[in-house]
Amino acid sequence: MSGMDESLSPQKSRITIYDEPVVCSFCLHDVYIPYEVFVNVEEPGVNVRHVRYIAICQHCGQAKYFGDPSHFDANKGVFIWALNQYLISIRSYKIKILFYVSKKNNDKITGFTNKLIQDFGVEKENINISNLKGVAELQIKISSLNEIQEVRSHIMHSAKKLYITIKDLTIN
């Protein structure tokens, strides 16, 4: 959405002000649900109200207050739209992970699986362990707001932290 002449929709979205993303100061994520708030900014009883926004971070729940700085530029004779909203859809991914494990190290498989469940809220589909080759296979489904590259990077980072070597990672 670009150059909005309507209020922000209360849906999961990314919001920009003058093309700069609104980022949560607490967790540094940028996915919000914005809501309109009407504020009486004049003396009490005058009933002059202005629209402000409150946006709730979808990662940590932190509230962010902001106004709409859109304005008319008299020098150029045009209206400058400041707020933009980009609606986000939740994506579903099927992931297949092949990783090396020693014959004695089933704790790594459990730890890695638990880490992915904690981070993504995954549904385990299938776990196959091939003891002869020292390779484990994990098939999972996740729903995420993130793009494939971010999901891949997060899985690789989690594996690295647990000292797991990934042989193959397929995301569909």
Side-chain angles (χ1 to χ4, degrees), residues 51-68:
V51 175
R52 303 272 186 215
Y53 288 99
I54 182 172
I56 308 300
C57 176
Q58 294 302 288
H59 185 74
C60 70
Q62 182 81 6
K64 184 154 192 100
Y65 294 90
F66 58 94
D68 184 356

Side-chain angles (χ1 to χ4, degrees), residues 82-101:
L83 287 179
N84 288 312
Q85 180 180 25
Y86 303 94
L87 300 178
I88 295 177
S89 61
I90 297 176
R91 298 164 186 89
S92 294
Y93 300 110
K94 280 190 165 189
I95 301 171
K96 180 179 171 184
I97 306 168
L98 295 173
F99 54 96
Y100 295 106
V101 292

Side-chain angles (χ1 to χ4, degrees), residues 22-30 32 57 59-64:
V22 175
V23 178
C24 179
S25 59
F26 187 71
C27 70
L28 302 178
H29 283 81
D30 65 347
Y32 292 93
C57 176
H59 185 74
C60 70
Q62 182 81 6
K64 184 154 192 100

Side-chain angles (χ1 to χ4, degrees), residues 12-14 29-31 58-59 87-95 116-123 140-155 171-172:
K12 282 188 182 178
S13 55
R14 289 194 166 91
H29 283 81
D30 65 347
V31 177
Q58 294 302 288
H59 185 74
L87 300 178
I88 295 177
S89 61
I90 297 176
R91 298 164 186 89
S92 294
Y93 300 110
K94 280 190 165 189
I95 301 171
L116 294 177
I117 289 170
Q118 176 187 352
D119 293 349
F120 291 111
V122 302
E123 300 172 21
I140 56 177
K141 284 184 186 176
I142 67 164
S143 296
S144 177
L145 295 171
N146 296 326
E147 300 288 333
I148 263 182
Q149 298 86 346
E150 293 175 47
V151 170
R152 179 182 306 277
S153 174
H154 189 86
I155 291 171
I171 303 176
N172 296 323

Side-chain angles (χ1 to χ4, degrees), residues 29-142:
H29 283 81
D30 65 347
V31 177
Y32 292 93
I33 295 181
Y35 298 97
E36 285 184 338
V37 178
F38 296 94
V39 180
N40 185 359
V41 295
E42 299 291 331
E43 294 179 23
V46 177
N47 288 329
V48 174
R49 302 194 186 271
H50 293 278
V51 175
R52 303 272 186 215
Y53 288 99
I54 182 172
I56 308 300
C57 176
Q58 294 302 288
H59 185 74
C60 70
Q62 182 81 6
K64 184 154 192 100
Y65 294 90
F66 58 94
D68 184 356
S70 300
H71 63 281
F72 182 75
D73 186 349
N75 293 335
K76 295 180 182 176
V78 296
F79 196 83
I80 308 295
W81 296 106
L83 287 179
N84 288 312
Q85 180 180 25
Y86 303 94
L87 300 178
I88 295 177
S89 61
I90 297 176
R91 298 164 186 89
S92 294
Y93 300 110
K94 280 190 165 189
I95 301 171
K96 180 179 171 184
I97 306 168
L98 295 173
F99 54 96
Y100 295 106
V101 292
S102 66
K103 294 178 183 177
K104 301 175 186 176
N105 212 344
N106 286 336
D107 291 342
K108 276 192 175 185
I109 297 170
T110 304
F112 186 52
T113 305
N114 289 341
K115 176 76 171 138
L116 294 177
I117 289 170
Q118 176 187 352
D119 293 349
F120 291 111
V122 302
E123 300 172 21
K124 286 189 278 187
E125 274 193 355
N126 195 6
I127 298 176
N128 297 321
I129 302 169
S130 173
N131 286 337
L132 298 175
K133 298 178 184 176
V135 175
E137 179 180 312
L138 176 62
Q139 295 179 4
I140 56 177
K141 284 184 186 176
I142 67 164

Side-chain angles (χ1 to χ4, degrees), residues 158-169:
S158 295
K160 184 179 178 181
K161 285 173 70 175
L162 295 170
Y163 302 103
I164 292 176
T165 304
I166 293 188
K167 178 180 178 184
D168 186 39
L169 175 59

